[in-house]
Amino acid sequence: MTNDQGRLPSPLHAIHHPLLDQFGVSLWCKRDDLIHPHLSGNKWRKLKYQLVQARAEGKRRLVSFGGAYSNHIHALAAAGRQSGLHTTGIIRGEPAAVSNPTLTDARSWGMELIFVDRQSYRRRQDPHWLAQFQGPDTLLIPEGGSAPLALPGVAELVDEMPFSPDLWVLPCASGGTLAGLVSGRREGQRILAIAVLKGADFIRDEVCRLHPAAAIDPHWRIALDHHDGGYAKFSPALWHWVQQFSAETGLPLEPIYSGKAMWGLFRELAAGRIPRGSRIVFLHTGGLQGLAGLREQGRI
């Protein structure tokens, strides 16, 4: 169904590749990147009930945080425009970045941009520092949208499935989408999250904070060794792999989230960490708008 709230259920596309045949697995991609042209993927799902909360509490402004190329900031600005709510983005970096494609879109959709240096940005969880951005009509949304109310929106994607996969695979950075999927997974389903940043051990703690039952659920894990250098970093070899995979399968990917996670999945396959015969669903969390910024920076 397509409406101004999004295209649901998001499409499910079968992926064919020689390596899948070699290891005897079946792979589908849950195309959450197609939910909405500007508010797509996990951002749409994570923000869904936070927007409901804002309306219920009579909030008029949404405030959140991100880097100059943040998919979350881009999505929040689109959500605010669609919902008639004012938005403010606290941006890590210099005002010169305002000309990049992500922030140009955000500003055109009415978002107020406030730039802060890295030292100040590190205080984004400090109540005293945050007080300057808060008011009675403000809803503060954590970086990446990873709040407890993000979980039910993500969990709903499990009900959209026409079959029960053996394994869900997704990229993870802040832990909110993973927590939502863990909270909604069905009996017999396992979850593999591919960390897209270095030193991502903290994500497990964040998942358990958002969804305490995850601490005693043995059916999910985070693969930490596919970050390819760290967050927003990628090697020429990875970018070549992503381009080749997209050309062979028709699935659009970018090298920061979806492409890195798919690359990680295929490395897990090659290492024998996924049982033969598995039925796998890869969650495409969006982020394709970031390709414009990578092109602008001359990185692709």
Side-chain angles (χ1 to χ4, degrees):
M1 180 176 69
T2 304
N3 54 40
D4 61 358
Q5 294 184 323
R7 179 187 181 186
L8 295 174
S10 57
L12 193 65
H13 289 176
I15 304 297
H16 303 284
H17 191 279
L19 196 64
L20 300 173
D21 297 333
Q22 180 182 338
F23 286 92
V25 303
S26 303
L27 176 63
W28 292 263
C29 182
K30 180 73 167 154
R31 295 290 304 275
D32 270 15
D33 60 302
L34 296 177
I35 288 178
H36 189 280
H38 305 304
L39 178 53
S40 69
N42 60 344
K43 307 308 180 189
W44 189 95
R45 295 190 188 272
K46 289 162 80 172
L47 289 172
K48 177 181 177 180
Y49 288 107
Q50 297 185 74
L51 293 174
V52 171
Q53 178 190 20
R55 297 187 194 99
E57 296 180 356
K59 305 296 187 184
R60 299 174 56 196
R61 179 174 296 277
L62 308 173
V63 177
S64 197
F65 312 86
Y69 293 89
S70 167
N71 293 323
H72 168 64
I73 288 295
H74 190 266
L76 185 70
R81 183 190 188 196
Q82 179 174 297
S83 304
L85 297 171
H86 300 292
T87 55
T88 297
I90 314 302
I91 309 300
R92 181 188 68 248
E94 300 299 325
V98 76
S99 63
N100 78 46
T102 296
L103 297 186
T104 295
D105 281 349
R107 188 169 59 173
S108 73
W109 294 330
M111 176 174 273
E112 175 192 16
L113 301 175
I114 299 175
F115 292 85
V116 299
D117 60 33
R118 290 181 178 273
Q119 183 175 359
S120 298
Y121 192 81
R122 293 191 189 100
R123 300 182 64 191
R124 61 190 179 279
Q125 296 178 343
D126 178 348
H128 299 291
W129 186 77
L130 290 174
Q132 64 186 301
F133 306 115
Q134 292 180 282
D137 66 341
T138 299
L139 178 65
L140 199 65
I141 297 177
E143 183 180 37
S146 292
L149 274 175
L151 274 61
V154 173
E156 288 175 350
L157 69 86
V158 178
D159 292 330
E160 296 177 13
M161 289 294 299
F163 64 91
S164 180
D166 301 306
L167 179 67
W168 290 91
V169 179
L170 72 159
C172 71
S174 62
T177 303
L178 175 56
L181 195 54
V182 172
S183 74
R185 74 166 190 86
R186 299 290 182 260
E187 186 70 27
Q189 296 179 354
R190 293 173 292 111
I191 300 170
L192 169 63
I194 307 294
V196 300
L197 65 164
K198 186 187 294 186
D201 307 70
F202 73 91
I203 296 177
R204 182 174 179 84
D205 292 337
E206 180 64 8
V207 169
C208 295
R209 183 187 71 82
L210 291 168
H211 179 56
I216 57 172
D217 184 344
H219 299 97
W220 64 281
R221 69 180 176 94
I222 304 173
L224 300 175
D225 53 352
H226 307 301
H227 55 74
D228 199 38
Y231 179 67
K233 296 180 180 179
F234 56 91
S235 63
L238 172 58
W239 176 230
H240 175 75
W241 187 94
V242 168
Q243 290 178 289
Q244 185 174 21
F245 185 87
S246 292
E248 292 173 350
T249 63
L251 181 67
L253 301 171
E254 43 69 45
I256 306 299
Y257 291 99
S258 59
K260 189 175 286 188
M262 187 67 80
W263 178 71
L265 166 59
F266 273 68
R267 293 181 76 197
E268 291 284 311
L269 274 172
R273 299 189 189 116
I274 295 174
R276 291 188 66 86
S278 294
R279 300 201 302 174
I280 304 170
V281 172
F282 180 91
L283 179 60
H284 197 313
T285 55
L288 294 172
Q289 64 88 22
L291 287 169
L294 294 175
R295 292 190 187 98
E296 181 191 61
Q297 297 173 71
R299 298 181 62 194
I300 59 173

